[in-house]
Amino acid sequence: MTVKDMVGNDAPFGESTCIGAKEENSDVIKRQLSHQRPDVAGIISELQRAAPTVSADTHHMENKALIAQVAALRSEMLQDAPLTNERLSLTSLIPEDGHPNVSVYNDELRGLGSPTWLNTVWMWSECYMYRCVLFTPLRSSIHADYPPDQRRLVALFRNTRHWGDFDPFHTQKVMALRSSRMAVMEHVTHFDQLTRGVAHSDFDAQRQGFSAVCKRSLWGNATDLSLLPNISHGEIQQLQKAGGNKDRDGFILVNHLSAAFDRLALAKRLNKPHRRVVIVLDNAGFELLVDILLGAFLIECGLATTVEFHPKDCPWFVSDVIVADVHDLLEELANPDHLFSNVDPRRAQDCATSPQKMALSRLSPRLANMFNDGSLVIRTDPFWTTGGSYWTMNRVAPHLFANLAEADLVIFKGDMNYRKLTGDAMWPTATPFPEAIGPLAKHGLCALALRTCKSDVVVGLAPGQEDVLQQNVLAQGSSSGRSWAWDGKYALAQLSLGRKGGSLDVNVRWT
């Protein structure tokens, strides 16, 4: 299947192939299975854990029913079952439930032929699992009495009386944040030091500060619970330290951060009254912290007057941010005793220092003030939980596209956002990033992708760069010369200015 097949006339730049099960790449299939199976098994475990906490009979009945339905779903995935049910007409289509992206999914599903769990477009099937089968946001009180054969084909949690707002990944996200407490304190302290007098600092100092916070946001993306289900606590800590380690700069394969700064600095230099940056979020917990610190830095130094954070509107890919996660993080920062619960005070390495505690005590009210005065804003849109490429945004969600196109910069965090920006297609790695994001660049959206490489799609490399990477990983004992694209050790910071922005050769100096 080509990008054009998937997104129709929104694909003006060629016929690159969407990644799917027909790819003759066993590594792709193995990773797909390794991502989805633990996710579904984890949902069952969390439902079982939550069962003793409820008392009403209907709670228990629905809990048991949900466990059975999710287990049946997992069985179907393992058996590569069809996404359709020939015994019932149109059972693969999602019943209308009041949410605007239902019709988007149904239109896409009609165009996929006769898909099975492992024989369809990967990106779409992953999103189908989370959005269409497991979760539907909003109005948790709605209950639809669908026949048993259709139970798996509707949003399971939505169609209960008591479990519609249940986030089966909440415990994982909270524990991941608390296990990151020392990295949290290190980054909070760095932010506290970096932003002292930053509003009045010179051009070069602000450029360096912008690069520093962006790199911390970039490497914060390395710890993704959906892609690293078996990662150890020690490995997480090492990944989180990477953001402040200059030795990691050589692992950033493409670095357009200086050009992105020039874009924002130009708007400030011209005294543009409203300078807006949008950050399309990825993971909760530690990564959300460094993303919020990036937004706060932009406000503090005047590179933006407003920063919008765009989370998902329902639980998504295990660790993706939903609105509740933002509130949870701010609550943890305001009450650091939560972060350091169950810590042995005799283990100094696990305890915050006095300077770290002071930095945190200053950060929490600063962030609260920014959210209260509207400098930092949270906005959701149902488009972020659709299954297709962002190439369709101008057609499917024109209101959202118009909002993003008017922003001075839109920062897309993480692997799934990158895959959707590029149509999840197997572009040649030397394909220019603006070409790979198609109509987004064509229609003037200024996009910066911050992403550690954890899937096959990579664009924007220099000619010959892929060959060097392949030789390096093979020399290091990797079984695949392509492993550099998905092992999370490399990263990309890629900018497309769009037609409105011209080339990347922007050069701004203060007067």
Side-chain angles (χ1 to χ4, degrees), residues 27 468-484 486-487 489-490:
D27 289 327
V468 173
L469 289 165
Q470 179 173 323
Q471 293 169 10
N472 289 343
V473 297
L474 289 175
Q476 293 166 8
S478 174
S479 60
S480 171
R482 183 74 178 180
S483 63
W484 60 269
W486 62 69
D487 62 12
K489 296 179 181 178
Y490 294 90

Side-chain angles (χ1 to χ4, degrees), residues 451-508:
R451 172 247 191 165
T452 54
C453 300
K454 289 173 287 189
S455 66
D456 295 81
V457 184
V458 177
V459 299
L461 300 190
Q465 193 174 6
E466 179 182 7
D467 294 334
V468 173
L469 289 165
Q470 179 173 323
Q471 293 169 10
N472 289 343
V473 297
L474 289 175
Q476 293 166 8
S478 174
S479 60
S480 171
R482 183 74 178 180
S483 63
W484 60 269
W486 62 69
D487 62 12
K489 296 179 181 178
Y490 294 90
L492 301 166
Q494 292 175 307
L495 179 68
S496 171
L497 290 173
R499 288 185 174 177
K500 294 179 182 178
S503 72
L504 295 183
D505 298 325
V506 181
N507 191 16
V508 180

